[in-house]
């Protein structure tokens, strides 16, 4: 007797694929904005070359660049997770909890489309 693995229908997978693609497009735009903020791409001035004695402002600017750098790293991870989710959609394994093997609720997947664990499994980790 063979046990068929539970999975979402092709129609459900198509819906999730659309959600994932939309999130990826928005995340890419956000990543470019974040990167341009810490790389000074939009500033052609001489602020970074002229001698100044504004240590507090420079320190604040450095902290801001570091914070944006961390945001960029986090955004890149989010994009990677979305790409992996898209791969799971194509393999028709999307929405299956990696811990319990049960389907992750549609509501959770609509909010967190890159989720790999159900709420039940997440609660077991605590």
């Amino acid at each position: 007797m063979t046990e068929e693995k539970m999975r979402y229908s092709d129609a459900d997978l198509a819906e999730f694929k659309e959600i994932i693609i939309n999130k990826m497009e928005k995340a890419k735009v956000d990543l470019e904005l974040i990167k341009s903020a810490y790389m000074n791409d939009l500033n052609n001035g001489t602020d970074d070359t002229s001698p100044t004695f504004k240590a507090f402002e420079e320190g604040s600017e450095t902290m801001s660049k570091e914070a944006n750098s961390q945001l960029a790293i986090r955004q890149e991870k989010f994009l990677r997770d979305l790409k992996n989710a898209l791969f799971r959609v194509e393999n028709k394994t999307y929405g299956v909890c990696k811990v319990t093997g049960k389907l992750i609720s549609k509501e959770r997947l609509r909010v967190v489309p890159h989720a790999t664990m159900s709420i039940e499994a997440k609660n077991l980790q605590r």
Side-chain angles (χ1 to χ4, degrees):
M1 183 160 90
T2 61
E3 182 181 317
E4 187 174 325
K5 191 172 191 176
M6 293 174 44
R7 72 171 189 89
Y8 280 108
S9 69
D10 289 345
D12 289 333
L13 291 175
E15 175 192 346
F16 292 128
K17 182 176 182 176
E18 186 176 330
I19 291 170
I20 293 167
I21 289 171
N22 288 337
K23 289 233 182 206
M24 285 177 72
E25 289 171 0
K26 184 181 180 323
K28 286 177 185 176
V29 169
D30 291 347
L31 179 61
E32 290 307 312
L33 285 172
I34 294 167
K35 281 186 173 181
S36 69
Y38 78 82
M39 295 175 95
N40 288 337
D41 287 347
L42 303 176
N43 184 1
N44 291 327
T46 59
D47 292 344
D48 57 346
T49 59
S50 62
T52 62
F53 299 98
K54 302 175 186 172
F56 290 117
E57 288 180 19
E58 289 173 359
S60 176
E61 188 175 318
T62 300
M63 283 182 57
S64 178
K65 285 182 180 183
E66 287 176 8
N68 284 337
S69 174
Q70 290 299 317
L71 283 173
I73 291 168
R74 186 172 182 187
Q75 194 71 3
E76 287 170 344
K77 180 185 180 304
F78 179 56
L79 270 167
R80 184 197 68 215
D81 291 346
L82 287 171
K83 286 178 187 174
N84 289 339
L86 198 56
F87 183 71
R88 291 191 304 275
V89 167
E90 298 298 327
N91 286 342
K92 300 185 181 194
T93 60
Y94 180 80
V96 178
C97 177
K98 67 180 184 180
V99 175
T100 65
K102 299 176 185 175
L103 289 180
I104 300 169
S105 72
K106 288 183 182 182
E107 294 78 23
R108 175 163 168 72
L109 290 173
R110 286 185 183 115
V111 176
V112 186
H114 58 288
T116 58
M117 291 191 289
S118 64
I119 295 294
E120 176 187 349
K122 285 292 256 185
N123 288 336
L124 288 175
Q125 283 187 328
R126 293 181 187 179

